[in-house]
Amino acid sequence: MNVDDTLKFDYNIDEDDIIIFQNFINKRLPYNYKIPLYVLRSIIIVVSFSGIYDLIYNFNLMFSDYKFYMLSFSLITLSIVINYSEKYIFKNSNLISSRIGKFSISLNDKGIIRTGEFFKSELKWNSFKFYVKNNDYLYLMLSDFEGIIIPLKDLPLELIANFERTIKDCFA
């Protein structure tokens, strides 16, 4: 494998790129992984609405099952708190420096060197399982759920073609 050592470029990743990548990963999940989550959410919603119904129309019966309804209310509250706290932590985390910002990539015979503001990592070619390219992104996947995002919107077409050719050669 003969990789052109001059194949280096800089690119930027923002929050929207991360969200698009997460949606890409979620679409790749097998449907049977999502079923338990849908079933659990449905059960919680049914139990909660039955508790609200009992509270409004059958106030005396509600007290006999109040622990059950409090549990469902607690689970709903917990899911809401977790959802918003993840977004807050993501926005205020120091880990953002490895996900969002300006990055540099260079290719060599051994693999890819990726550099950010606070890190430099070298990944060997055999670390990558596959790659996916669409109109806007190239994803170098380390597993089914983890990869390097390379937005193509700011890169020249010649560089994209050269980069993709090199990636194909390395995966062959």
Side-chain angles (χ1 to χ4, degrees):
M1 168 182 6
N2 187 12
V3 176
D4 183 5
D5 283 332
T6 62
L7 192 53
K8 299 177 183 179
F9 58 90
D10 296 332
Y11 63 97
N12 291 307
I13 294 180
D14 57 22
E15 286 182 23
D16 292 336
D17 297 326
I18 300 292
I19 291 169
I20 290 169
F21 181 69
Q22 288 172 339
N23 289 336
F24 166 76
I25 294 297
N26 285 337
K27 288 178 185 172
R28 294 180 52 82
L29 281 174
Y31 187 72
N32 59 347
Y33 281 21
K34 298 176 185 177
I35 291 174
L37 184 61
Y38 293 138
V39 169
L40 180 63
R41 285 181 179 167
S42 299
I43 290 170
I44 290 172
I45 289 170
V46 166
V47 168
S48 298
F49 281 121
S50 68
I52 292 169
Y53 177 82
D54 282 350
L55 179 64
I56 294 171
Y57 294 107
N58 238 344
F59 192 71
N60 293 332
L61 290 177
M62 190 267 187
F63 288 110
S64 63
D65 296 328
Y66 78 95
K67 290 180 185 176
F68 189 65
Y69 299 125
M70 290 305 293
L71 175 65
S72 64
F73 178 75
S74 300
L75 289 174
I76 291 171
T77 304
L78 180 64
S79 68
I80 291 170
V81 168
I82 288 172
N83 187 29
Y84 285 107
S85 64
E86 284 176 350
K87 290 178 183 177
Y88 178 78
I89 289 169
F90 179 73
K91 286 184 179 180
N92 296 308
S93 174
N94 289 334
L95 297 174
I96 288 179
S97 61
S98 67
R99 298 181 192 170
I100 295 176
K102 185 175 181 175
F103 300 95
S104 175
I105 279 200
S106 62
L107 283 70
N108 60 36
D109 286 338
K110 295 179 183 176
I112 291 178
I113 299 172
R114 183 172 178 246
T115 308
E117 186 178 354
F118 299 106
F119 72 91
K120 179 179 181 179
S121 62
E122 183 170 346
L123 299 163
K124 295 182 180 180
W125 287 115
N126 62 2
S127 302
F128 298 101
K129 305 299 180 211
F130 60 95
Y131 76 97
V132 175
K133 181 185 180 279
N134 61 32
N135 293 336
D136 300 319
Y137 296 93
L138 189 134
Y139 302 124
L140 294 170
M141 301 303 292
L142 296 161
S143 70
D144 288 337
F145 309 108
E146 181 181 20
I148 295 175
I149 306 166
I150 301 174
L152 302 175
K153 60 187 172 212
D154 298 330
L155 300 178
L157 292 176
E158 182 181 325
L159 179 65
I160 293 170
N162 210 3
F163 183 63
E164 188 175 9
R165 190 176 330 107
T166 303
I167 296 294
K168 282 181 181 178
D169 291 345
C170 293
F171 275 93

